[in-house]
Amino acid sequence: MLIGYARVSKSEEQDITPQISALEAAGCTRVYEEKASGGRWDRPELHRLLGRLGDGDVVVVWKLDRLSRSLKDLLLILERIDAACAGFRSLTEAIDTTIPAGRMMMHMLGSFAEFERAMVRERTQAGLVAARAQGRRGGRRPKLTAEQRAEILAMLDAGRSTADVSRLFRVHRATISRIAAAYSLAASQDVR
């Protein structure tokens, strides 16, 4: 069964009618319509379509960017389609994974995406190394200063409860417990 997916962005004044007409002319018996950004993953109609795919079904879109604006997300969606033993067809780009040439095209797209991910990872690692060389540390800033942690330990030693101390410093009780555990661990290693 040919199943269509038509999407327009919510913020733009786009008409979905040409997409639906093209999908119906291509033989789609059911068309899922969506008004949402292609960059968003939480698109209920797309998930409904993917959840109902069966063996031999073919998902048809007017253009690839109607399915997703991100190559990574596009490949994830195509993997889900493939896992359902279904095919994929884009009318404008003439991609059809039900034939060998279409499958080759999707493998090429996957290779380019994998290459891009590797390049991004390499650039990220180089940036982190350069930042460390300049003395910068990554990650989130600690919520509590060293003085506040020392004060927390003093309060706990004085017999105040973890819940009481967490309310005073406006942090979760688990944060107070982690501070106490880290202090106990450090103290036990100093004894050795």
Side-chain angles (χ1 to χ4, degrees):
M1 177 190 327
L2 297 178
I3 303 169
Y5 178 73
R7 182 193 62 77
V8 292
S9 296
K10 228 178 195 176
S11 60
E12 301 171 18
E13 292 299 319
Q14 295 178 339
D15 185 14
I16 202 167
T17 310
Q19 289 181 55
I20 295 170
S21 298
L23 293 169
E24 288 173 348
C28 292
T29 55
R30 171 84 168 101
V31 177
Y32 289 82
E33 302 174 32
E34 191 125 58
K35 285 195 172 199
S37 169
R40 296 182 59 119
W41 183 246
D42 58 339
R43 291 181 274 157
E45 290 300 310
L46 175 62
H47 290 290
R48 192 169 291 119
L49 178 151
L50 294 172
R52 292 184 178 161
L53 281 179
D55 193 5
D57 288 342
V58 178
V59 176
V60 183
V61 295
W62 181 56
K63 286 180 77 171
L64 278 175
D65 70 348
R66 299 297 88 199
L67 192 58
S68 179
R69 295 214 180 246
S70 157
L71 182 58
K72 181 180 106 179
D73 288 344
L74 175 65
L75 291 172
L76 287 172
I77 293 168
L78 291 173
E79 282 177 17
R80 286 193 54 190
I81 291 171
D82 188 49
C85 298
F88 171 76
R89 186 178 300 157
S90 171
L91 301 176
T92 307
E93 289 88 5
I95 295 173
D96 186 349
T97 64
T98 62
I99 59 174
R103 285 191 298 275
M104 180 190 71
M105 176 62 112
M106 293 319 298
H107 286 290
M108 288 171 53
L109 281 174
S111 296
F112 286 123
E114 187 177 331
F115 173 73
E116 177 60 23
R117 279 192 299 272
M119 295 302 294
V120 166
R121 190 171 29 252
E122 191 176 291
R123 287 191 299 264
T124 300
Q125 290 303 317
L128 289 171
V129 167
R132 280 189 212 107
Q134 295 174 357
R136 292 190 308 224
R137 278 186 47 209
R140 200 170 146 187
R141 288 193 184 350
K143 180 145 177 117
L144 301 168
T145 65
E147 293 83 24
Q148 288 174 318
R149 286 193 297 273
E151 190 176 343
I152 287 169
L153 292 170
M155 291 174 128
L156 292 173
D157 283 343
R160 303 267 314 250
S161 72
T162 303
D164 190 28
V165 174
S166 67
R167 274 193 300 277
L168 285 170
F169 285 90
R170 293 186 177 153
V171 295
H172 196 273
R173 287 188 315 265
T175 302
I176 303 300
S177 297
R178 278 193 299 273
I179 291 170
Y183 174 75
S184 296
L185 179 65
S188 68
Q189 288 176 348
D190 285 344
V191 170
R192 292 181 197 165

